[in-house]
C-alpha cells in the first residue's frame, strides 16, 4: 500500500489538471547486467513484438502480449536455463529487475499493464508485459490506451458489481484495518486503506501472485478516471475515491467517516499523549484524554456521534505543535495524522451535503406522490383533494420547525404552480385544497350535486370559486382541457372519454339524418304559393287555410322521404379514435413507465437516460414488464418486445438533443426524460441543480462546462419547446 502522500501527489486527469504523460520504455543499456532469467524474458518479448510488427495489425490487443501467468511455461522451454533460473524466486527477482525496482537496474525496460477477462461470469485480471525493443525508445501511450479500451466494458461491470455490494464493518473498532505493524513492531497508519484505489490494488496484487507486487499505477489511474466519467466514483481527496452505492450515498459517507475517526483515535492518541508527556504539554494531555473518552467503540454509535465529534477532533489534533518534533518517525506520524484530518474534513462536508440532498430527494418524492394523489383523486372522484400538510411531512422526519416550514412552503409553491390550489392555515391547522384543473368544470358540477345532500361538501363550493379565480388570474391554459386519449381496458376494448364541452341536444347535423330540411321547406313554400294564386284567381279565400295545411303535410312527407338522398353527412366533431396500434403502444407505455420512470428513486440522475442506457434498463426489466402485459404479448420474441417497449417509452418522453458542436466523447448525445416529470417545475429545478453540482467538478474544462451549461439552460429557459 502506498503512503497517502504518494497517492495524493498523483494529479487528477479527470479534472483536466494534467495531460496524459508522454511515457517511454528504453532499450536495456547493459543487457549483461541482467540475470539469465531476465534476458530470456526480454528475448521472448522481443520476438513477440517483432511478430506483431510483421503481422501489420493496426489494432493492438493485450491478449497477444506475454502475461505474467505464462512465464513459468515459457521458461520451461528454455533448455539453456538451469532449474534455479526457472524457480519462482528467480522469476520474481527477474521481474523486479525488468520493472526497475532493484539497486543495480533502476530504469524500467518492461511496461506492466493489466487487462480484464470474463470467464464463467467471473472477472479475471491478467498483467500484460510490453517491451517492443524495436527503437531506442518506444512510446507506451498507444499500448496503454489500447489495453484499457479492451477492458473498458468490464471495468464498467466491475464498478457496477461493486456498487451493489454493501461495505460491512466490524461491530467494534472499525478503524483497525487502517493500521499495520511491521516485523519490528513499528506501527503505520494508512488513511487511504479503505479507498477504491487500495481495493483495486489488492485485487491486482492477487493476480500477480507469487511474483508481485509490480507497478501498475497507470491502470489504477485509468480505472479511477473512467469511474468518475461514468459517475460511479466520488473523490474525497486525490488518491482516495470510493464507489457510489446503487442506493443512497449517505450511509457510505457515514461508514468511511466512522472508519477514519476510529483509525485516527487508535493511531494518533497513543503517540500524541506520549509526545505531550515527554514535552510537558500537561494541558494538552488533559484535553486529549477528555476527547478520547468521548469516542464510542461500537460502530453503530460512531455513525451517530462521529459527525458531532469532527469539529473538536479537527481543532485539537490540528493544533498539536508538530513543527517542534524532529526525527523521521515524528514526521511520518505527523503526515499520517494530517492526511487523515484532511480526509475527515472532506468526508464531513460531503456527508452534510449528502444529508441535504437526501432530504431534498425525499421532499421531491413526496411532492411527486402528492401530485399523483391529486390527479388520480380528481379524475376518479371529481372532488377536491384535501391535504393535511402537517400529516404529509411526517414521513420526512424533520426535526426543527424551520425545516418543517420550509418543506411545507416548497410543497405549497410547487403544487400551486402546477394545479389549482387554495391554502388555508391557522396556528395548528395547515391544509391545501387542490384539484387537477383539466377537470375543473366536472368537479364543480359534481360538488354542486353532492352539496344538495351533504352540508360538509357545501363548504367546498366557495373554495372551488376561489380556485377558479386563481386559475383565471394566472391565465392557466389547462382549465377544462381534459385529455381525450382513448383508454383501453384489459380486454383491449376502447372506452371513450367524454368531452368536457356539452354538445347541443338537437344539432342541425342530427336533424338532417331524420329529415331533409331544404326539400321539406321548398315543397311547403311552393305548394302554399300555388294554393294562394289559385284562390285569388277563383276569387275565394276559403281554400287558403286548408291549402296551407296540405302544403305543410306534403312538405313534411317529402322531407322525410328524401332524408336519404345521397347527400354526404357532415363530419363529426368528435376526436378521431386512436388507432389500435397507437392504443397498444399507450398500453405498453403505461405498464413500462413505472419501471423506467419510477415514482420513488434515490438520485434524480436515475431518471435521466440516453438511448444506450434506456435500452439496457429495458432489457433488465423486460421480464417484469412482460408479466403485466396482455397474455397475447407474452409469447413474443424478447428482442421484439424490448423494441416495442422502447418505442412506447419514447412516446411519453422528452428527448433533449445535444448540439453536435457541444457533443463530447463518453458523454450522452441526447437526454431522455419522462414528459410527465419534465412538466413539473420541481423536477426541472432539481435536475438543473444536479448538473450545477457536476459542473463544479469541471471548472477548468471549457468543453465540459459548455456541455453542462447547455443542459441547464434548456431545463430552466428552453423547456417549453419540448412540451409542445
Amino acid at each position: 500500500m502506498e503512503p497517502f502522500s504518494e497517492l495524493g501527489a498523483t494529479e487528477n486527469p479527470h479534472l483536466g489538471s494534467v495531460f496524459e504523460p508522454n511515457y517511454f520504455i528504453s532499450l536495456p543499456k547493459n543487457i549483461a547486467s541482467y540475470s539469465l532469467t531476465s534476458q530470456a524474458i526480454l528475448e521472448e518479448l522481443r520476438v513477440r513484438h517483432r511478430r506483431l510488427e510483421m503481422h501489420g495489425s493496426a489494432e493492438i490487443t493485450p491478449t497477444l502480449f506475454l502475461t505474467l501467468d505464462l512465464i513459468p511455461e515459457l521458461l520451461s522451454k528454455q533448455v539453456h536455463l538451469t532449474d534455479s533460473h526457472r524457480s519462482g524466486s528467480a522469476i520474481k527477482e527477474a521481474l523486479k529487475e525488468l520493472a526497475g525496482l532493484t539497486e543495480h537496474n533502476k530504469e524500467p525496460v518492461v511496461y506492466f499493464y493489466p487487462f480484464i477477462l470474463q470467464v464463467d461470469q467471473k472477472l479475471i485480471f491478467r498483467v500484460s508485459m510490453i517491451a517492443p525493443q524495436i527503437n531506442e525508445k518506444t512510446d507506451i501511450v498507444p499500448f496503454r490506451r489500447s489495453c484499457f479500451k479492451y477492458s473498458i466494458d468490464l471495468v464498467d461491470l466491475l464498478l457496477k458489481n461493486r456498487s451493489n455490494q454493501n461495505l460491512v464493518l466490524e461491530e467494534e473498532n472499525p478503524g483497525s484495518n487502517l493500521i499495520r505493524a511491521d516485523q519490528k513492531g513499528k506501527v503505520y497508519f494508512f488513511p487511504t486503506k479503505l479507498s477504491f484505489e487500495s481495493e483495486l490494488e489488492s485485487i491486482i496484487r492477487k493476480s500477480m501472485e507469487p511474483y508481485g507486487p509490480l507497478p501498475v499505477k497507470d491502470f489504477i489511474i485509468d480505472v479511477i478516471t473512467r469511474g468518475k466519467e461514468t459517475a460511479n466514483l466520488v473523490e474525497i481527496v486525490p488518491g482516495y475515491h470510493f464507489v457510489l452505492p446503487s442506493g443512497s450515498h449517505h450511509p457510505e459517507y457515514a461508514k468511511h467517516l466512522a472508519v477514519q475517526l476510529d483509525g485516527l483515535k487508535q493511531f494518533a492518541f497513543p503517540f500524541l499523549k506520549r509526545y505531550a508527556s515527554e514535552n510537558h504539554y500537561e494541558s494538552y494531555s488533559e484535553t486529549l484524554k477528555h476527547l478520547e473518552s468521548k469516542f464510542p467503540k461500537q460502530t453503530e454509535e460512531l455513525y451517530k456521534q462521529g459527525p458531532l465529534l469532527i469539529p473538536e477532533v479537527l481543532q485539537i489534533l490540528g493544533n498539536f505543535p508538530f513543527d517542534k518534533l524532529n526525527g523521521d518517525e515524528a514526521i511520518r506520524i505527523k503526515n499520517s495524522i494530517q492526511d487523515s484530518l484532511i480526509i475527515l474534513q472532506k468526508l464531513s462536508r460531503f456527508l452534510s451535503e449528502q444529508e441535504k440532498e437526501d432530504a431534498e430527494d425525499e421532499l421531491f418524492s413526496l411532492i411527486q406522490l402528492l401530485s399523483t394523489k391529486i390527479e388520480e383523486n380528481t379524475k376518479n372522484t371529481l372532488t377536491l383533494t384535501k391535504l393535511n400538510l402537517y400529516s404529509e411531512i411526517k414521513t420526512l422526519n424533520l426535526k426543527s420547525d424551520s425545516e418543517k416550514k420550509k418543506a411545507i412552503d416548497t410543497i405549497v409553491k410547487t403544487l400551486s404552480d402546477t394545479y389549482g390550489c387554495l391554502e388555508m392555515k391557522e396556528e395548528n391547522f395547515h391544509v391545501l385544497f387542490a384539484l387537477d384543473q383539466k377537470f375543473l368544470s366536472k368537479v364543480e358540477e359534481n360538488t354542486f350535486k353532492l352539496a344538495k345532500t351533504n352540508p360538509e361538501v357545501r363548504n367546498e363550493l366557495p373554495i372551488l370559486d376561489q380556485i377558479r379565480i386563481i386559475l383565471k388570474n394566472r391565465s392557466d391554459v389547462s382549465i377544462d382541457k381534459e385529455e381525450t386519449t382513448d383508454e383501453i381496458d384489459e380486454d383491449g376494448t376502447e372506452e371513450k372519454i367524454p368531452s368536457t364541452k356539452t354538445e347541443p341536444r338537437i344539432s342541425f347535423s342530427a336533424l338532417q339524418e331524420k329529415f331533409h330540411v331544404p326539400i321539406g321547406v321548398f315543397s311547403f313554400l311552393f305548394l302554399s304559393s300555388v294554393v294562394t294564386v289559385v284562390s285569388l284567381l277563383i276569387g275565394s279565400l276559403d281554400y287558403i287555410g286548408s291549402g296551407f295545411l296540405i302544403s305543410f303535410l306534403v312538405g313534411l312527407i317529402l322531407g322525410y322521404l328524401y332524408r336519404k338522398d345521397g347527400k354526404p353527412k357532415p363530419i363529426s366533431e368528435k376526436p378521431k379514435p386512436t388507432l389500435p396500434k397507437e392504443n397498444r403502444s399507450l398500453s405498453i407505455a403505461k405498464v413500462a413507465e413505472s419501471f423506467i420512470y419510477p415514482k420513488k428513486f434515490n438520485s434524480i440522475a436515475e431518471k435521466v437516460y440516453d438511448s444506450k442506457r434506456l435500452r439496457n434498463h429495458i432489457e433488465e426489466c423486460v421480464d417484469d414488464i412482460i408479466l403485466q402485459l396482455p397474455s397475447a404479448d407474452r409469447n413474443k420474441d424478447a428482442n421484439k418486445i424490448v423494441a416495442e417497449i422502447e418505442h412506447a417509452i419514447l412516446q411519453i418522453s422528452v428527448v433533449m438533443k445535444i448540439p453536435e458542436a457541444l457533443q463530447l466523447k463518453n458523454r450522452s448525445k441526447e437526454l431522455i426524460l419522462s414528459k410527465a416529470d419534465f412538466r413539473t417545475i420541481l423536477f426541472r429545478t432539481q435536475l438543473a441543480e444536479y448538473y450545477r453540482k457536476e459542473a463544479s467538478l469541471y471548472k477548468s474544462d471549457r468543453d465540459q462546462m459548455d456541455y453542462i451549461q447547455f443542459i441547464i439552460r434548456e431545463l430552466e429557459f428552453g423547456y417549453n419547446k419540448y412540451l409542445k
Side-chain angles (χ1 to χ4, degrees):
M1 174 65 191
E2 287 181 290
F4 173 81
S5 56
E6 292 183 24
L7 272 176
T10 302
E11 293 190 77
N12 190 352
H14 183 66
L15 296 178
S17 57
V18 291
F19 296 99
E20 195 170 43
N22 208 14
Y23 187 67
F24 291 89
I25 284 289
S26 302
L27 286 173
K29 293 179 181 177
N30 184 8
I31 193 69
S33 65
Y34 290 85
S35 68
L36 290 177
T37 307
S38 297
Q39 292 181 41
I41 295 172
L42 280 171
E43 178 60 21
E44 176 65 21
L45 287 169
R46 186 186 68 79
V47 170
R48 287 189 179 231
H49 279 283
R50 285 287 185 188
R51 201 177 296 154
L52 284 172
E53 185 184 27
M54 292 174 64
H55 186 269
S57 175
E59 187 72 23
I60 301 173
T61 175
T63 56
L64 300 176
F65 298 142
L66 179 64
T67 54
L68 286 184
D69 56 303
L70 297 178
I71 289 179
E73 181 185 351
L74 162 70
L75 296 180
S76 67
K77 299 176 182 178
Q78 304 291 332
V79 294
H80 66 282
L81 295 179
T82 64
D83 290 341
S84 62
H85 288 127
R86 300 172 186 160
S87 65
S89 58
I91 294 173
K92 185 173 183 179
E93 188 63 28
L95 292 172
K96 287 177 65 178
E97 274 189 327
L98 299 175
L101 301 177
T102 59
E103 287 295 327
H104 58 281
N105 286 311
K106 295 186 177 181
E107 288 293 325
V109 293
V110 174
Y111 181 66
F112 297 90
Y113 196 93
F115 62 95
I116 310 176
L117 298 170
Q118 189 170 20
V119 180
D120 296 332
Q121 303 301 315
K122 292 182 180 180
L123 298 182
I124 297 175
F125 285 76
R126 293 281 184 264
V127 180
S128 58
M129 301 173 65
I130 300 164
Q133 300 179 69
I134 299 166
N135 303 313
E136 185 176 343
K137 283 187 175 182
T138 303
D139 186 2
I140 55 85
V141 171
F143 295 96
R144 175 182 177 181
R145 286 177 177 163
S146 297
C147 288
F148 189 71
K149 182 182 177 182
Y150 180 86
S151 303
I152 196 165
D153 290 337
L154 295 180
V155 167
D156 291 343
L157 181 60
L158 173 70
L159 292 167
K160 182 180 178 181
N161 292 343
R162 180 61 183 80
S163 69
N164 294 324
Q165 298 173 8
N166 290 323
L167 178 62
V168 180
L169 304 181
E170 298 291 336
E171 293 183 3
E172 289 187 6
N173 298 325
S176 301
N177 291 331
L178 306 183
I179 300 171
R180 292 287 182 272
D182 62 13
Q183 294 177 347
K184 297 179 181 179
K186 188 180 288 187
V187 179
Y188 291 84
F189 180 45
F190 300 105
T192 60
K193 187 66 177 175
L194 202 61
S195 66
F196 182 68
E197 286 94 327
S198 179
E199 184 179 339
L200 184 59
E201 187 178 6
S202 177
I203 294 171
I204 297 172
R205 280 188 178 183
K206 289 181 180 178
S207 70
M208 296 178 180
E209 291 178 352
Y211 309 122
L214 294 166
V216 289
K217 199 169 186 178
D218 286 349
F219 177 74
I220 294 175
I221 290 173
D222 292 341
V223 172
I224 297 301
T225 303
R226 176 64 180 177
K228 293 169 73 174
E229 287 174 349
T230 54
N232 286 307
L233 290 176
V234 64
E235 178 180 285
I236 305 303
V237 294
Y240 190 118
H241 298 77
F242 67 74
V243 179
L244 291 173
S246 53
S248 172
H249 310 154
H250 179 181
E252 200 74 9
Y253 287 111
K255 289 176 182 178
H256 281 255
L257 188 141
V259 170
Q260 202 67 222
L261 262 180
D262 187 67
L264 187 62
K265 181 198 76 170
Q266 293 184 52
F267 174 77
F269 281 47
F271 283 106
L272 295 184
K273 284 191 292 185
R274 177 162 63 86
Y275 286 137
S277 177
E278 291 173 355
N279 292 276
H280 306 291
Y281 301 144
E282 285 81 8
S283 61
Y284 188 86
S285 294
E286 290 300 320
T287 304
L288 206 58
K289 289 177 183 178
H290 179 67
L291 175 60
E292 187 177 18
S293 65
K294 294 182 179 180
F295 274 76
K297 290 185 178 181
Q298 298 293 328
T299 303
E300 285 296 326
E301 290 300 314
L302 264 174
Y303 290 159
K304 299 174 185 176
Q305 300 180 32
L308 304 176
L309 292 170
I310 297 296
E312 199 171 353
V313 169
L314 293 174
Q315 182 183 4
I316 294 174
L317 272 61
N319 289 336
F320 187 84
F322 289 107
D323 54 329
K324 295 183 180 180
L325 301 179
N326 297 317
D328 293 340
E329 184 186 40
I331 293 173
R332 174 177 62 81
I333 292 168
K334 167 193 168 184
N335 290 338
S336 298
I337 292 174
Q338 289 182 342
D339 291 341
S340 181
L341 291 177
I342 293 171
I343 292 173
L344 270 177
Q345 194 173 19
K346 292 291 183 70
L347 282 170
S348 177
R349 193 188 76 198
F350 283 134
L351 182 59
S352 299
E353 291 175 354
Q354 186 61 48
E355 288 175 343
K356 183 180 177 182
E357 287 181 16
D358 287 348
E360 290 174 352
D361 289 341
E362 287 179 9
L363 178 59
F364 179 73
S365 296
L366 175 60
I367 292 173
Q368 292 282 81
L369 192 65
L370 295 177
S371 299
T372 304
K373 185 177 180 179
I374 291 168
E375 292 177 4
E376 291 181 352
N377 182 68
T378 305
K379 183 177 179 180
N380 297 332
T381 68
L382 296 178
T383 59
L384 277 172
T385 304
K386 182 179 178 181
L387 301 175
N388 186 335
L389 297 177
Y390 287 133
S391 298
E392 298 292 351
I393 64 169
K394 283 182 179 178
T395 57
L396 302 179
N397 297 317
L398 302 174
K399 297 175 182 177
S400 66
D401 291 338
S402 61
E403 289 177 333
K404 293 178 182 178
K405 182 180 182 303
K406 186 178 178 181
I408 288 176
D409 290 344
T410 303
I411 292 172
V412 171
K413 183 180 185 309
T414 306
L415 295 179
S416 297
D417 288 342
T418 309
Y419 305 104
C421 298
L422 183 66
E423 181 185 14
M424 291 187 178
K425 60 179 178 178
E426 295 177 6
E427 187 175 349
N428 296 315
F429 175 82
H430 203 151
V431 171
L432 187 70
F433 291 94
L435 56 78
D436 185 348
Q437 60 269 37
K438 295 195 295 291
F439 301 88
L440 179 58
S441 293
K442 286 192 170 185
V443 172
E444 289 174 333
E445 182 181 350
N446 186 57
T447 305
F448 184 75
K449 289 179 182 177
L450 296 174
K452 293 178 181 179
T453 56
N454 191 336
E456 293 182 6
V457 177
R458 201 171 299 151
N459 296 328
E460 296 181 2
L461 292 173
I463 295 174
L464 282 170
D465 291 338
Q466 291 185 56
I467 289 176
R468 180 175 278 278
I469 292 170
I470 291 169
L471 291 170
K472 284 190 174 181
N473 287 340
R474 78 181 189 201
S475 302
D476 195 297
V477 296
S478 299
I479 298 176
D480 292 335
K481 296 290 184 182
E482 181 182 352
E483 295 178 1
T484 57
T485 306
D486 293 338
E487 294 184 354
I488 307 170
D489 60 18
E490 294 181 357
D491 298 327
T493 57
E494 295 182 2
E495 182 182 340
K496 302 287 193 300
I497 301 177
S499 174
T500 54
K501 293 184 178 180
T502 55
E503 295 183 1
R505 291 184 179 179
I506 301 176
S507 64
F508 182 77
S509 59
L511 184 62
Q512 279 282 78
E513 294 177 2
K514 298 181 180 180
F515 185 82
H516 202 302
V517 176
I519 286 183
V521 172
F522 179 78
S523 301
F524 167 71
L525 292 175
F526 177 76
L527 291 175
S528 298
S529 301
V530 171
V531 169
T532 302
V533 171
V534 170
S535 298
L536 291 173
L537 290 174
I538 62 176
S540 175
L541 300 178
D542 296 338
Y543 299 103
I544 291 179
S546 57
F548 276 12
L549 179 60
I550 293 170
S551 300
F552 176 76
L553 293 174
V554 171
L556 194 65
I557 292 168
L558 291 175
Y560 179 76
L561 292 175
Y562 283 90
R563 70 189 184 281
K564 295 180 180 179
D565 59 352
K567 183 178 180 179
K569 294 183 180 179
I571 299 173
S572 173
E573 296 179 1
K574 291 190 291 184
K576 184 180 178 181
T578 311
L579 296 173
K581 186 176 180 181
E582 294 172 342
N583 282 340
R584 188 168 171 280
S585 181
L586 288 170
S587 178
I588 293 173
K590 190 174 181 181
V591 172
E593 185 177 15
S594 60
F595 294 93
I596 309 302
Y597 300 122
K599 296 291 182 184
K600 292 185 178 182
F601 51 90
N602 295 305
S603 170
I604 200 163
E606 295 174 17
K607 304 192 82 172
V608 182
Y609 295 89
D610 57 19
S611 54
K612 183 178 179 181
R613 182 168 173 260
L614 177 63
R615 183 86 177 191
N616 291 340
H617 192 58
I618 291 172
E619 288 174 352
E620 290 175 4
C621 303
V622 67
D623 292 337
D624 295 324
I625 296 173
I626 287 175
L627 291 176
Q628 299 191 32
L629 292 177
S631 55
D633 291 325
R634 295 178 189 173
N635 297 325
K636 289 189 176 182
D637 179 62
N639 292 330
K640 186 176 181 182
I641 288 289
V642 168
E644 289 181 350
I645 293 171
E646 185 177 10
H647 172 75
I649 286 294
L650 289 175
Q651 307 311 305
I652 59 168
S653 300
V654 165
V655 180
M656 185 187 296
K657 296 281 186 183
I658 306 298
E660 190 171 344
L662 299 179
Q663 290 177 11
L664 298 174
K665 185 181 179 182
N666 298 324
R667 279 286 199 172
S668 303
K669 294 181 180 179
E670 76 279 320
L671 302 184
I672 301 172
L673 312 125
S674 165
K675 191 174 288 185
D677 288 339
F678 200 78
R679 284 195 181 99
T680 66
I681 296 173
L682 183 64
F683 178 83
R684 298 196 302 270
T685 304
Q686 290 265 352
L687 194 56
E689 187 61 28
Y690 169 83
Y691 280 107
R692 278 198 177 88
K693 289 178 181 177
E694 185 182 1
S696 66
L697 302 173
Y698 296 97
K699 290 180 181 177
S700 59
D701 192 327
R702 187 69 260 167
D703 293 337
Q704 293 281 359
M705 289 294 289
D706 290 343
Y707 178 93
I708 296 172
Q709 285 173 357
F710 168 78
I711 297 173
I712 294 172
R713 283 196 303 271
E714 293 297 283
L715 289 170
E716 294 184 336
F717 305 108
Y719 58 87
N720 278 328
K721 62 188 174 189
Y722 298 102
L723 298 175
K724 291 179 181 179

